[in-house]
Amino acid sequence: MKKLVLIGGGGHGKVVLDVMRAQGDYELAGIGDDKYTHSFSQDGIFHGPVTDMAELLRDDNCRLFIAIGNNRTRRAVMERLGYPESRYAVLIHPRATLGSGVTIGGGSVVMPGAVINYGARIGAQCIINTGAVVEHENVLGSFVHISPTAALAGDITVGDGTHIGLGAKVIEGLTIGGWTTLGAGAVAVHDIPAQCTAVGVPAKPIKYADQPDQLAQRRA
């Protein structure tokens, strides 16, 4: 069985660990988290600050997974670690459903009850959360999080770093820009631009990254 080093010991890390165990392809070798002030072994598993995981990762057959829910933080940790995408595990719960022709990038996790249909392409370091639906031929960039029960109809493009909130919906053929947040329960019926927060039914941008303290009036 292959070994895995998990980066992130919080709540999301515990869920990812459950997926790893259910999948059954990996044995946990270590948990790296900067909340630890020193390294120690517990039940045969190495715990310690993130930098202390380097010794385990000297083994080229040991895989890595960043179990951090925040998209920007996950990207920052990946850049800090400096390992190529090929060193990262893909974790898929056995109760998830994947159609034919689906591709999933390194460091991504698919939670129980999620459905990814025909030809969808999921980038690196993505989270397809519990019960989420990613329909046919969608293209998701890297560092995307599709929250529980959110649903993307077919032929949708989602840019890097975007967070689709709890129960949100996106109708067919739209583009959701990079590093955008689509709020919980929102329904996107038009393209949503990059680097904004969009909420409501239908979803409308209310804030842009360069306008943190005022409602935005722009639309794509």
Side-chain angles (χ1 to χ4, degrees), residues 177-200:
W179 300 102
T180 273
T181 298
L182 183 64
V187 178
V189 299
H190 303 287
D191 290 349
I192 304 295
Q195 301 193 54
C196 76
T197 298
V199 300

Side-chain angles (χ1 to χ4, degrees), residues 7-9 12-13 16 32-33 50 65-74 77 125 127 145:
I7 304 299
H12 182 64
V16 168
D33 195 305
V50 172
F65 196 93
I66 302 172
I68 296 172
N70 182 279
N71 295 342
R72 292 185 186 276
T73 304
R74 199 161 61 256
V77 170
Q125 302 288 340
I127 301 168
H145 184 173

